[in-house]
Amino acid sequence: MTIEDHERAKVVGHALARDTLTRLRDVETEQVAFRKGLVKLGRICGYEIVDGLLESETVTVETPLTTTEGERVGEMDDVVIVNVLRAATPFVEGLLKAFPRAKQGVISAGRDEEGGMDTEGRFDISIEYVKMPAIHEEDTLILADPMLATGSTMCAVLEEVLDGADPERVIVLSAVSAPEGLDRLREEFPDVELLTVAVDDHLDDNGYIVPGLGDAGDRAFRTT
Ligand code: URA
């Protein structure tokens, strides 16, 4: 198992995840490779969640020759994956390889970049589009956003999605996280499990993660 407990979050410790993230960080990685890298990283993270965080049970299986014991992962039908538009789109595409039967929610939440970051390191967030499936008590909710920076977007998303819902567990999955964002989520949503591939150093004055990988949405969608 390669999910490790670190001070602020659980960290996906798989070498392929680190390799893929290193390529994503590289300023020379162009759009197509960047988008494919996010898909690949989502897939690796999905497999790691199945392996490290979900329960499996021993079952009996009839092969064409005999009866033997095997293993089945439970909870696979009770997974809800939320795509936080827009950078999460390729990341979720990969995640779905591990959870092909997941119910999917989509939420468009973005920073008010013009208003900038306030003195507490927070952005105002506007939520423009929400389409969620029903969330049941037995569900595992996975909220995916490759970049967890100030935590402002994810806190707004959690407030929106958990309003009236009480799933069994909630996992926030990111590729790169800033310590500031993880601390804020831990404080405001102590029951949420935080899973990331890297905890970076700090945020710059514009709320970008350093060293980070730049603007994940712009790099994936070539909007700069
Ligand atoms: N969103 C990004 O895409 N990158 C950051 O560094 C912070 C937020």
Side-chain angles (χ1 to χ4, degrees):
M1 192 182 88
T2 50
I3 289 184
E4 298 153 3
D5 281 316
H6 283 230
E7 185 194 341
R8 288 186 162 91
K10 291 184 193 302
V11 170
V12 175
H14 200 292
L16 265 184
R18 289 197 299 275
D19 173 285
T20 308
L21 179 57
T22 303
R23 290 167 204 272
L24 290 170
R25 288 189 192 278
D26 190 338
V27 68
E28 300 295 336
T29 300
E30 46 71 51
Q31 182 206 7
V32 173
F34 188 87
R35 204 178 49 230
K36 284 184 177 173
L38 274 182
V39 173
K40 183 174 178 183
L41 196 58
R43 191 171 70 231
I44 297 165
C45 289
Y47 290 146
E48 290 295 296
I49 290 173
V50 172
D51 189 42
L53 301 186
L54 301 191
E55 304 271 311
S56 59
E57 57 178 2
T58 303
V59 294
T60 304
V61 62
E62 295 283 335
T63 80
L65 304 181
T66 185
T67 303
T68 189
E69 277 196 349
E71 192 176 320
R72 282 269 166 78
V73 181
E75 310 168 45
M76 294 295 276
D77 283 325
D78 304 322
V79 172
V80 180
I81 295 178
V82 180
N83 176 351
V84 181
L85 295 177
R86 71 188 157 140
T89 302
F91 198 41
V92 165
E93 185 186 326
L95 200 50
L96 286 168
K97 308 278 183 212
F99 301 103
R101 293 196 303 274
K103 293 179 277 183
Q104 289 181 64
V106 172
I107 181 160
S108 159
R111 293 171 167 185
D112 172 10
E113 298 280 358
E114 277 181 17
M117 203 164 54
D118 70 15
T119 50
E120 291 182 359
R122 297 171 181 208
F123 282 92
D124 280 341
I125 302 298
S126 62
I127 292 187
E128 273 158 23
Y129 178 79
V130 182
K131 191 74 182 172
M132 287 295 300
I135 299 174
H136 302 119
E137 279 177 9
E138 63 276 18
D139 284 340
T140 293
L141 184 62
I142 304 174
L143 298 130
D145 190 346
M147 308 304 284
L148 179 67
T150 65
S152 302
T153 301
M154 194 50 81
C155 283
V157 167
L158 280 163
E159 261 167 44
E160 175 75 35
V161 167
L162 294 179
D163 185 19
D166 187 19
E168 189 171 303
R169 63 197 294 196
V170 181
I171 299 169
V172 167
L173 172 68
S174 58
V176 184
S177 300
E180 295 90 329
L182 291 171
D183 289 348
R184 179 166 172 202
L185 278 178
R186 171 72 55 243
E187 197 181 309
E188 295 192 18
F189 295 92
D191 295 333
V192 165
E193 297 170 67
L194 305 174
L195 179 64
T196 191
V197 180
V199 181
D200 272 10
D201 197 54
H202 65 278
L203 293 172
D204 72 7
D205 294 344
N206 298 313
Y208 276 80
I209 303 173
V210 182
L213 49 74
D215 189 307
D218 281 347
R219 292 189 67 189
F221 291 88
R222 196 142 60 92
T223 41
T224 49

